[in-house]
PDB file of all heavy atoms in Angstrom:
ATOM      1  N   VAL A  52      97.505 105.084  81.958  1.00 96.00           N
ATOM      2  CA  VAL A  52      98.852 105.657  81.872  1.00 96.00           C
ATOM      3  C   VAL A  52      99.113 106.352  80.541  1.00 96.00           C
ATOM      4  O   VAL A  52     100.251 106.743  80.255  1.00 96.00           O
ATOM      5  CB  VAL A  52      99.945 104.577  82.087  1.00 96.00           C
ATOM      6  CG1 VAL A  52      99.842 103.993  83.486  1.00 96.00           C
ATOM      7  CG2 VAL A  52      99.852 103.483  81.040  1.00 96.00           C
ATOM      8  N   LYS A  73     100.129 112.339  78.510  1.00 95.00           N
ATOM      9  CA  LYS A  73     101.191 111.529  77.906  1.00 95.00           C
ATOM     10  C   LYS A  73     101.750 110.546  78.931  1.00 95.00           C
ATOM     11  O   LYS A  73     101.859 110.884  80.108  1.00 95.00           O
ATOM     12  CB  LYS A  73     102.338 112.426  77.448  1.00 95.00           C
ATOM     13  CG  LYS A  73     102.010 113.329  76.292  1.00 95.00           C
ATOM     14  CD  LYS A  73     103.237 114.173  75.977  1.00 95.00           C
ATOM     15  CE  LYS A  73     102.923 115.282  74.996  1.00 95.00           C
ATOM     16  NZ  LYS A  73     103.991 116.281  74.963  1.00 95.00           N
ATOM     17  N   PRO A  74     102.178 109.362  78.468  1.00 96.00           N
ATOM     18  CA  PRO A  74     102.744 108.368  79.397  1.00 96.00           C
ATOM     19  C   PRO A  74     103.880 108.949  80.228  1.00 96.00           C
ATOM     20  O   PRO A  74     103.985 108.674  81.431  1.00 96.00           O
ATOM     21  CB  PRO A  74     103.264 107.271  78.467  1.00 96.00           C
ATOM     22  CG  PRO A  74     102.545 107.429  77.193  1.00 96.00           C
ATOM     23  CD  PRO A  74     102.163 108.880  77.071  1.00 96.00           C
ATOM     24  N   GLU A  75     104.744 109.757  79.589  1.00 96.00           N
ATOM     25  CA  GLU A  75     105.910 110.256  80.317  1.00 96.00           C
ATOM     26  C   GLU A  75     105.518 111.261  81.404  1.00 96.00           C
ATOM     27  O   GLU A  75     106.303 111.491  82.328  1.00 96.00           O
ATOM     28  CB  GLU A  75     106.946 110.872  79.359  1.00 96.00           C
ATOM     29  CG  GLU A  75     106.437 111.985  78.462  1.00 96.00           C
ATOM     30  CD  GLU A  75     106.067 111.487  77.075  1.00 96.00           C
ATOM     31  OE1 GLU A  75     105.423 110.411  76.998  1.00 96.00           O
ATOM     32  OE2 GLU A  75     106.390 112.153  76.073  1.00 96.00           O
ATOM     33  N   ASP A  76     104.328 111.844  81.291  1.00 96.00           N
ATOM     34  CA  ASP A  76     103.868 112.743  82.344  1.00 96.00           C
ATOM     35  C   ASP A  76     103.148 111.975  83.450  1.00 96.00           C
ATOM     36  O   ASP A  76     103.280 112.303  84.631  1.00 96.00           O
ATOM     37  CB  ASP A  76     102.936 113.801  81.748  1.00 96.00           C
ATOM     38  CG  ASP A  76     103.687 114.729  80.795  1.00 96.00           C
ATOM     39  OD1 ASP A  76     104.891 114.949  81.014  1.00 96.00           O
ATOM     40  OD2 ASP A  76     103.069 115.213  79.831  1.00 96.00           O
ATOM     41  N   VAL A  78     103.685 108.930  84.492  1.00 96.00           N
ATOM     42  CA  VAL A  78     104.614 108.192  85.350  1.00 96.00           C
ATOM     43  C   VAL A  78     105.231 109.130  86.387  1.00 96.00           C
ATOM     44  O   VAL A  78     105.515 108.725  87.525  1.00 96.00           O
ATOM     45  CB  VAL A  78     105.695 107.472  84.504  1.00 96.00           C
ATOM     46  CG1 VAL A  78     106.662 108.452  83.876  1.00 96.00           C
ATOM     47  CG2 VAL A  78     106.449 106.460  85.344  1.00 96.00           C
ATOM     48  N   ARG A  79     105.363 110.397  86.034  1.00 96.00           N
ATOM     49  CA  ARG A  79     105.932 111.358  86.986  1.00 96.00           C
ATOM     50  C   ARG A  79     104.981 111.680  88.136  1.00 96.00           C
ATOM     51  O   ARG A  79     105.391 112.239  89.144  1.00 96.00           O
ATOM     52  CB  ARG A  79     106.329 112.643  86.246  1.00 96.00           C
ATOM     53  CG  ARG A  79     107.609 112.444  85.430  1.00 96.00           C
ATOM     54  CD  ARG A  79     107.984 113.675  84.617  1.00 96.00           C
ATOM     55  NE  ARG A  79     109.347 113.571  84.113  1.00 96.00           N
ATOM     56  CZ  ARG A  79     109.719 112.863  83.054  1.00 96.00           C
ATOM     57  NH1 ARG A  79     108.822 112.195  82.361  1.00 96.00           N
ATOM     58  NH2 ARG A  79     110.983 112.814  82.675  1.00 96.00           N
ATOM     59  N   PRO A  86     103.986  96.816  82.184  1.00 96.00           N
ATOM     60  CA  PRO A  86     103.092  96.421  81.100  1.00 96.00           C
ATOM     61  C   PRO A  86     103.060  94.914  80.859  1.00 96.00           C
ATOM     62  O   PRO A  86     103.954  94.176  81.265  1.00 96.00           O
ATOM     63  CB  PRO A  86     103.687  97.146  79.888  1.00 96.00           C
ATOM     64  CG  PRO A  86     105.121  97.332  80.208  1.00 96.00           C
ATOM     65  CD  PRO A  86     105.206  97.479  81.702  1.00 96.00           C
ATOM     66  N   ARG A  90     107.994  94.003  78.438  1.00 95.00           N
ATOM     67  CA  ARG A  90     108.641  95.034  77.600  1.00 95.00           C
ATOM     68  C   ARG A  90     109.974  95.516  78.185  1.00 95.00           C
ATOM     69  O   ARG A  90     110.247  96.715  78.291  1.00 95.00           O
ATOM     70  CB  ARG A  90     107.682  96.203  77.360  1.00 95.00           C
ATOM     71  CG  ARG A  90     106.486  95.722  76.547  1.00 95.00           C
ATOM     72  CD  ARG A  90     105.442  96.768  76.339  1.00 95.00           C
ATOM     73  NE  ARG A  90     105.789  97.740  75.312  1.00 95.00           N
ATOM     74  CZ  ARG A  90     104.904  98.598  74.810  1.00 95.00           C
ATOM     75  NH1 ARG A  90     103.659  98.605  75.238  1.00 95.00           N
ATOM     76  NH2 ARG A  90     105.264  99.449  73.888  1.00 95.00           N
ATOM     77  N   ILE A  91     110.784  94.540  78.539  1.00 95.00           N
ATOM     78  CA  ILE A  91     112.149  94.832  78.977  1.00 95.00           C
ATOM     79  C   ILE A  91     112.919  95.395  77.776  1.00 95.00           C
ATOM     80  O   ILE A  91     112.716  94.962  76.644  1.00 95.00           O
ATOM     81  CB  ILE A  91     112.803  93.516  79.447  1.00 95.00           C
ATOM     82  CG1 ILE A  91     112.169  93.062  80.749  1.00 95.00           C
ATOM     83  CG2 ILE A  91     114.306  93.653  79.598  1.00 95.00           C
ATOM     84  CD1 ILE A  91     112.288  94.050  81.862  1.00 95.00           C
ATOM     85  N   LEU A  92     113.794  96.349  78.026  1.00 96.00           N
ATOM     86  CA  LEU A  92     114.629  96.866  76.940  1.00 96.00           C
ATOM     87  C   LEU A  92     115.853  95.961  76.835  1.00 96.00           C
ATOM     88  O   LEU A  92     116.805  96.073  77.611  1.00 96.00           O
ATOM     89  CB  LEU A  92     114.994  98.323  77.222  1.00 96.00           C
ATOM     90  CG  LEU A  92     113.730  99.192  77.246  1.00 96.00           C
ATOM     91  CD1 LEU A  92     113.957 100.494  77.979  1.00 96.00           C
ATOM     92  CD2 LEU A  92     113.223  99.442  75.841  1.00 96.00           C
ATOM     93  N   THR A  93     115.778  95.031  75.900  1.00 94.00           N
ATOM     94  CA  THR A  93     116.736  93.926  75.875  1.00 94.00           C
ATOM     95  C   THR A  93     118.135  94.359  75.456  1.00 94.00           C
ATOM     96  O   THR A  93     119.106  93.684  75.779  1.00 94.00           O
ATOM     97  CB  THR A  93     116.256  92.824  74.919  1.00 94.00           C
ATOM     98  OG1 THR A  93     116.057  93.406  73.628  1.00 94.00           O
ATOM     99  CG2 THR A  93     114.947  92.222  75.396  1.00 94.00           C
ATOM    100  N   GLY A  94     118.224  95.480  74.724  1.00 92.00           N
ATOM    101  CA  GLY A  94     119.530  95.938  74.265  1.00 92.00           C
ATOM    102  C   GLY A  94     120.273  96.743  75.320  1.00 92.00           C
ATOM    103  O   GLY A  94     121.458  97.036  75.172  1.00 92.00           O
ATOM    104  N   LEU A  95     119.559  97.120  76.382  1.00 95.00           N
ATOM    105  CA  LEU A  95     120.188  97.835  77.491  1.00 95.00           C
ATOM    106  C   LEU A  95     120.599  96.807  78.541  1.00 95.00           C
ATOM    107  O   LEU A  95     120.034  95.726  78.609  1.00 95.00           O
ATOM    108  CB  LEU A  95     119.191  98.819  78.110  1.00 95.00           C
ATOM    109  CG  LEU A  95     119.080 100.225  77.509  1.00 95.00           C
ATOM    110  CD1 LEU A  95     118.829 100.172  76.023  1.00 95.00           C
ATOM    111  CD2 LEU A  95     117.981 101.013  78.193  1.00 95.00           C
ATOM    112  N   GLU A  99     121.080  99.573  83.231  1.00 96.00           N
ATOM    113  CA  GLU A  99     120.595 100.691  82.414  1.00 96.00           C
ATOM    114  C   GLU A  99     119.067 100.752  82.389  1.00 96.00           C
ATOM    115  O   GLU A  99     118.482 101.837  82.395  1.00 96.00           O
ATOM    116  CB  GLU A  99     121.133 100.577  80.979  1.00 96.00           C
ATOM    117  CG  GLU A  99     122.601 100.964  80.858  1.00 96.00           C
ATOM    118  CD  GLU A  99     123.174 100.688  79.474  1.00 96.00           C
ATOM    119  OE1 GLU A  99     122.628  99.821  78.748  1.00 96.00           O
ATOM    120  OE2 GLU A  99     124.173 101.320  79.122  1.00 96.00           O
ATOM    121  N   LEU A 103     117.379 104.149  83.644  1.00 96.00           N
ATOM    122  CA  LEU A 103     116.463 104.889  82.772  1.00 96.00           C
ATOM    123  C   LEU A 103     115.199 105.242  83.534  1.00 96.00           C
ATOM    124  O   LEU A 103     114.720 106.378  83.499  1.00 96.00           O
ATOM    125  CB  LEU A 103     116.129 104.039  81.546  1.00 96.00           C
ATOM    126  CG  LEU A 103     115.219 104.704  80.524  1.00 96.00           C
ATOM    127  CD1 LEU A 103     115.997 105.762  79.749  1.00 96.00           C
ATOM    128  CD2 LEU A 103     114.643 103.679  79.558  1.00 96.00           C
ATOM    129  N   ALA A 106     115.636 107.921  86.097  1.00 93.00           N
ATOM    130  CA  ALA A 106     116.031 109.245  85.597  1.00 93.00           C
ATOM    131  C   ALA A 106     114.961 110.305  85.805  1.00 93.00           C
ATOM    132  O   ALA A 106     115.237 111.496  85.756  1.00 93.00           O
ATOM    133  CB  ALA A 106     116.406 109.162  84.109  1.00 93.00           C
ATOM    134  N   ILE A 107     113.702 109.882  86.041  1.00 93.00           N
ATOM    135  CA  ILE A 107     112.654 110.894  86.242  1.00 93.00           C
ATOM    136  C   ILE A 107     112.737 111.515  87.633  1.00 93.00           C
ATOM    137  O   ILE A 107     112.107 112.526  87.886  1.00 93.00           O
ATOM    138  CB  ILE A 107     111.229 110.298  86.074  1.00 93.00           C
ATOM    139  CG1 ILE A 107     110.994 109.158  87.042  1.00 93.00           C
ATOM    140  CG2 ILE A 107     110.996 109.866  84.644  1.00 93.00           C
ATOM    141  CD1 ILE A 107     109.544 108.682  87.060  1.00 93.00           C
ATOM    142  N   ARG A 151     112.042  97.862  87.839  1.00 96.00           N
ATOM    143  CA  ARG A 151     112.089  99.068  87.016  1.00 96.00           C
ATOM    144  C   ARG A 151     110.940 100.000  87.381  1.00 96.00           C
ATOM    145  O   ARG A 151     111.123 101.213  87.509  1.00 96.00           O
ATOM    146  CB  ARG A 151     111.991  98.620  85.557  1.00 96.00           C
ATOM    147  CG  ARG A 151     112.582  99.507  84.555  1.00 96.00           C
ATOM    148  CD  ARG A 151     112.636  98.831  83.215  1.00 96.00           C
ATOM    149  NE  ARG A 151     111.321  98.465  82.696  1.00 96.00           N
ATOM    150  CZ  ARG A 151     111.093  98.104  81.435  1.00 96.00           C
ATOM    151  NH1 ARG A 151     112.081  98.052  80.577  1.00 96.00           N
ATOM    152  NH2 ARG A 151     109.892  97.782  81.043  1.00 96.00           N
TER     153      ARG A 151
ATOM    154  N   ARG B 182     122.662 110.495  79.607  1.00 93.00           N
ATOM    155  CA  ARG B 182     121.260 110.218  79.879  1.00 93.00           C
ATOM    156  C   ARG B 182     120.438 110.282  78.599  1.00 93.00           C
ATOM    157  O   ARG B 182     119.591 109.427  78.365  1.00 93.00           O
ATOM    158  CB  ARG B 182     120.769 111.260  80.879  1.00 93.00           C
ATOM    159  CG  ARG B 182     119.523 110.834  81.574  1.00 93.00           C
ATOM    160  CD  ARG B 182     119.378 111.679  82.811  1.00 93.00           C
ATOM    161  NE  ARG B 182     118.046 112.244  82.802  1.00 93.00           N
ATOM    162  CZ  ARG B 182     117.600 113.047  83.756  1.00 93.00           C
ATOM    163  NH1 ARG B 182     118.382 113.408  84.740  1.00 93.00           N
ATOM    164  NH2 ARG B 182     116.379 113.493  83.707  1.00 93.00           N
ATOM    165  N   LEU B 185     121.065 107.178  76.604  1.00 95.00           N
ATOM    166  CA  LEU B 185     120.324 106.032  77.151  1.00 95.00           C
ATOM    167  C   LEU B 185     118.862 106.105  76.716  1.00 95.00           C
ATOM    168  O   LEU B 185     118.278 105.117  76.271  1.00 95.00           O
ATOM    169  CB  LEU B 185     120.444 106.054  78.678  1.00 95.00           C
ATOM    170  CG  LEU B 185     119.801 104.915  79.471  1.00 95.00           C
ATOM    171  CD1 LEU B 185     120.406 103.583  79.081  1.00 95.00           C
ATOM    172  CD2 LEU B 185     119.969 105.156  80.971  1.00 95.00           C
ATOM    173  N   SER B 186     118.286 107.299  76.833  1.00 96.00           N
ATOM    174  CA  SER B 186     116.891 107.477  76.419  1.00 96.00           C
ATOM    175  C   SER B 186     116.712 107.150  74.942  1.00 96.00           C
ATOM    176  O   SER B 186     115.714 106.545  74.540  1.00 96.00           O
ATOM    177  CB  SER B 186     116.445 108.926  76.654  1.00 96.00           C
ATOM    178  OG  SER B 186     116.512 109.240  78.017  1.00 96.00           O
ATOM    179  N   ARG B 188     118.562 105.140  73.043  1.00 94.00           N
ATOM    180  CA  ARG B 188     118.659 103.693  72.800  1.00 94.00           C
ATOM    181  C   ARG B 188     117.381 102.997  73.231  1.00 94.00           C
ATOM    182  O   ARG B 188     116.902 102.077  72.573  1.00 94.00           O
ATOM    183  CB  ARG B 188     119.869 103.122  73.548  1.00 94.00           C
ATOM    184  CG  ARG B 188     121.185 103.429  72.840  1.00 94.00           C
ATOM    185  CD  ARG B 188     122.344 103.413  73.818  1.00 94.00           C
ATOM    186  NE  ARG B 188     122.479 102.131  74.479  1.00 94.00           N
ATOM    187  CZ  ARG B 188     122.965 101.965  75.711  1.00 94.00           C
ATOM    188  NH1 ARG B 188     123.368 103.011  76.403  1.00 94.00           N
ATOM    189  NH2 ARG B 188     123.059 100.779  76.214  1.00 94.00           N
ATOM    190  N   ALA B 189     116.831 103.442  74.367  1.00 95.00           N
ATOM    191  CA  ALA B 189     115.585 102.842  74.845  1.00 95.00           C
ATOM    192  C   ALA B 189     114.444 103.114  73.859  1.00 95.00           C
ATOM    193  O   ALA B 189     113.696 102.213  73.488  1.00 95.00           O
ATOM    194  CB  ALA B 189     115.244 103.392  76.227  1.00 95.00           C
ATOM    195  N   GLU B 192     114.475 101.053  70.752  1.00 92.00           N
ATOM    196  CA  GLU B 192     114.063  99.660  70.878  1.00 92.00           C
ATOM    197  C   GLU B 192     112.555  99.529  71.075  1.00 92.00           C
ATOM    198  O   GLU B 192     111.913  98.705  70.438  1.00 92.00           O
ATOM    199  CB  GLU B 192     114.804  99.009  72.052  1.00 92.00           C
ATOM    200  CG  GLU B 192     114.369  97.560  72.227  1.00 92.00           C
ATOM    201  CD  GLU B 192     115.156  96.828  73.290  1.00 92.00           C
ATOM    202  OE1 GLU B 192     116.272  97.255  73.598  1.00 92.00           O
ATOM    203  OE2 GLU B 192     114.639  95.827  73.796  1.00 92.00           O
ATOM    204  N   ASP B 193     111.992 100.303  71.968  1.00 93.00           N
ATOM    205  CA  ASP B 193     110.549 100.213  72.244  1.00 93.00           C
ATOM    206  C   ASP B 193     110.094 101.579  72.748  1.00 93.00           C
ATOM    207  O   ASP B 193     110.211 101.889  73.931  1.00 93.00           O
ATOM    208  CB  ASP B 193     110.286  99.121  73.290  1.00 93.00           C
ATOM    209  CG  ASP B 193     108.799  98.932  73.572  1.00 93.00           C
ATOM    210  OD1 ASP B 193     107.999  99.847  73.300  1.00 93.00           O
ATOM    211  OD2 ASP B 193     108.435  97.853  74.081  1.00 93.00           O
ATOM    212  N   GLY B 195     107.198 102.958  73.186  1.00 94.00           N
ATOM    213  CA  GLY B 195     106.148 102.968  74.204  1.00 94.00           C
ATOM    214  C   GLY B 195     106.684 102.621  75.573  1.00 94.00           C
ATOM    215  O   GLY B 195     106.387 103.294  76.567  1.00 94.00           O
ATOM    216  N   ALA B 196     107.497 101.571  75.643  1.00 95.00           N
ATOM    217  CA  ALA B 196     108.044 101.144  76.931  1.00 95.00           C
ATOM    218  C   ALA B 196     108.930 102.242  77.509  1.00 95.00           C
ATOM    219  O   ALA B 196     108.923 102.496  78.710  1.00 95.00           O
ATOM    220  CB  ALA B 196     108.833  99.853  76.772  1.00 95.00           C
ATOM    221  N   ARG B 198     108.617 105.453  77.022  1.00 96.00           N
ATOM    222  CA  ARG B 198     107.764 106.533  77.530  1.00 96.00           C
ATOM    223  C   ARG B 198     107.143 106.162  78.869  1.00 96.00           C
ATOM    224  O   ARG B 198     106.979 107.012  79.752  1.00 96.00           O
ATOM    225  CB  ARG B 198     106.671 106.861  76.520  1.00 96.00           C
ATOM    226  CG  ARG B 198     107.208 107.400  75.207  1.00 96.00           C
ATOM    227  CD  ARG B 198     106.086 107.794  74.269  1.00 96.00           C
ATOM    228  NE  ARG B 198     105.463 109.037  74.699  1.00 96.00           N
ATOM    229  CZ  ARG B 198     104.407 109.576  74.093  1.00 96.00           C
ATOM    230  NH1 ARG B 198     103.843 108.968  73.068  1.00 96.00           N
ATOM    231  NH2 ARG B 198     103.899 110.715  74.534  1.00 96.00           N
ATOM    232  N   LEU B 199     106.800 104.885  79.040  1.00 96.00           N
ATOM    233  CA  LEU B 199     106.238 104.432  80.315  1.00 96.00           C
ATOM    234  C   LEU B 199     107.220 104.670  81.452  1.00 96.00           C
ATOM    235  O   LEU B 199     106.829 104.802  82.603  1.00 96.00           O
ATOM    236  CB  LEU B 199     105.906 102.938  80.258  1.00 96.00           C
ATOM    237  CG  LEU B 199     104.615 102.537  79.553  1.00 96.00           C
ATOM    238  CD1 LEU B 199     104.497 101.022  79.542  1.00 96.00           C
ATOM    239  CD2 LEU B 199     103.406 103.145  80.254  1.00 96.00           C
ATOM    240  N   LEU B 200     108.503 104.691  81.133  1.00 96.00           N
ATOM    241  CA  LEU B 200     109.525 104.909  82.152  1.00 96.00           C
ATOM    242  C   LEU B 200     109.921 106.380  82.233  1.00 96.00           C
ATOM    243  O   LEU B 200     110.896 106.730  82.886  1.00 96.00           O
ATOM    244  CB  LEU B 200     110.755 104.054  81.850  1.00 96.00           C
ATOM    245  CG  LEU B 200     110.480 102.548  81.861  1.00 96.00           C
ATOM    246  CD1 LEU B 200     111.687 101.786  81.351  1.00 96.00           C
ATOM    247  CD2 LEU B 200     110.091 102.081  83.241  1.00 96.00           C
ATOM    248  N   GLY B 201     109.192 107.222  81.515  1.00 95.00           N
ATOM    249  CA  GLY B 201     109.404 108.648  81.669  1.00 95.00           C
ATOM    250  C   GLY B 201     110.225 109.312  80.580  1.00 95.00           C
ATOM    251  O   GLY B 201     110.512 110.504  80.655  1.00 95.00           O
ATOM    252  N   VAL B 202     110.623 108.547  79.557  1.00 96.00           N
ATOM    253  CA  VAL B 202     111.384 109.167  78.469  1.00 96.00           C
ATOM    254  C   VAL B 202     110.456 110.095  77.680  1.00 96.00           C
ATOM    255  O   VAL B 202     109.388 109.680  77.239  1.00 96.00           O
ATOM    256  CB  VAL B 202     111.963 108.084  77.529  1.00 96.00           C
ATOM    257  CG1 VAL B 202     112.532 108.711  76.267  1.00 96.00           C
ATOM    258  CG2 VAL B 202     113.024 107.278  78.259  1.00 96.00           C
ATOM    259  N   ARG B 203     110.856 111.355  77.546  1.00 96.00           N
ATOM    260  CA  ARG B 203     109.991 112.320  76.863  1.00 96.00           C
ATOM    261  C   ARG B 203     110.110 112.147  75.353  1.00 96.00           C
ATOM    262  O   ARG B 203     111.187 112.341  74.771  1.00 96.00           O
ATOM    263  CB  ARG B 203     110.367 113.746  77.265  1.00 96.00           C
ATOM    264  CG  ARG B 203     110.098 114.044  78.720  1.00 96.00           C
ATOM    265  CD  ARG B 203     110.262 115.547  78.981  1.00 96.00           C
ATOM    266  NE  ARG B 203     110.303 115.839  80.405  1.00 96.00           N
ATOM    267  CZ  ARG B 203     109.216 115.935  81.171  1.00 96.00           C
ATOM    268  NH1 ARG B 203     108.019 115.757  80.650  1.00 96.00           N
ATOM    269  NH2 ARG B 203     109.349 116.214  82.460  1.00 96.00           N
ATOM    270  N   ALA B 204     108.980 111.797  74.755  1.00 94.00           N
ATOM    271  CA  ALA B 204     108.967 111.486  73.330  1.00 94.00           C
ATOM    272  C   ALA B 204     109.514 112.634  72.492  1.00 94.00           C
ATOM    273  O   ALA B 204     110.387 112.449  71.642  1.00 94.00           O
ATOM    274  CB  ALA B 204     107.545 111.137  72.892  1.00 94.00           C
ATOM    275  N   ASN B 205     109.014 113.839  72.758  1.00 94.00           N
ATOM    276  CA  ASN B 205     109.436 114.976  71.941  1.00 94.00           C
ATOM    277  C   ASN B 205     110.923 115.229  72.040  1.00 94.00           C
ATOM    278  O   ASN B 205     111.589 115.572  71.067  1.00 94.00           O
ATOM    279  CB  ASN B 205     108.689 116.244  72.364  1.00 94.00           C
ATOM    280  CG  ASN B 205     107.236 116.179  71.957  1.00 94.00           C
ATOM    281  OD1 ASN B 205     106.889 115.482  70.993  1.00 94.00           O
ATOM    282  ND2 ASN B 205     106.386 116.867  72.684  1.00 94.00           N
ATOM    283  N   ARG B 312     115.718  97.122  66.475  1.00 42.00           N
ATOM    284  CA  ARG B 312     116.363  97.655  67.661  1.00 42.00           C
ATOM    285  C   ARG B 312     117.639  98.401  67.277  1.00 42.00           C
ATOM    286  O   ARG B 312     118.360  98.002  66.400  1.00 42.00           O
ATOM    287  CB  ARG B 312     116.712  96.472  68.558  1.00 42.00           C
ATOM    288  CG  ARG B 312     117.341  96.823  69.844  1.00 42.00           C
ATOM    289  CD  ARG B 312     117.031  95.717  70.857  1.00 42.00           C
ATOM    290  NE  ARG B 312     117.620  94.445  70.497  1.00 42.00           N
ATOM    291  CZ  ARG B 312     118.917  94.176  70.637  1.00 42.00           C
ATOM    292  NH1 ARG B 312     119.739  95.102  71.043  1.00 42.00           N
ATOM    293  NH2 ARG B 312     119.374  92.998  70.353  1.00 42.00           N
TER     294      ARG B 312
END
Side-chain angles (χ1 to χ4, degrees):
Chain A
V52 297
K73 292 179 190 165
E75 56 262 44
D76 294 329
V78 70
R79 285 176 167 79
R90 295 176 77 168
I91 290 301
L92 297 160
T93 56
L95 273 54
E99 285 173 337
L103 182 74
I107 58 171
R151 206 170 61 166
Chain B
R182 199 162 128 180
L185 183 61
S186 298
R188 283 156 59 210
E192 179 175 338
D193 183 339
R198 296 184 74 184
L199 281 177
L200 298 171
V202 169
R203 294 190 193 279
N205 289 334
R312 182 154 65 75

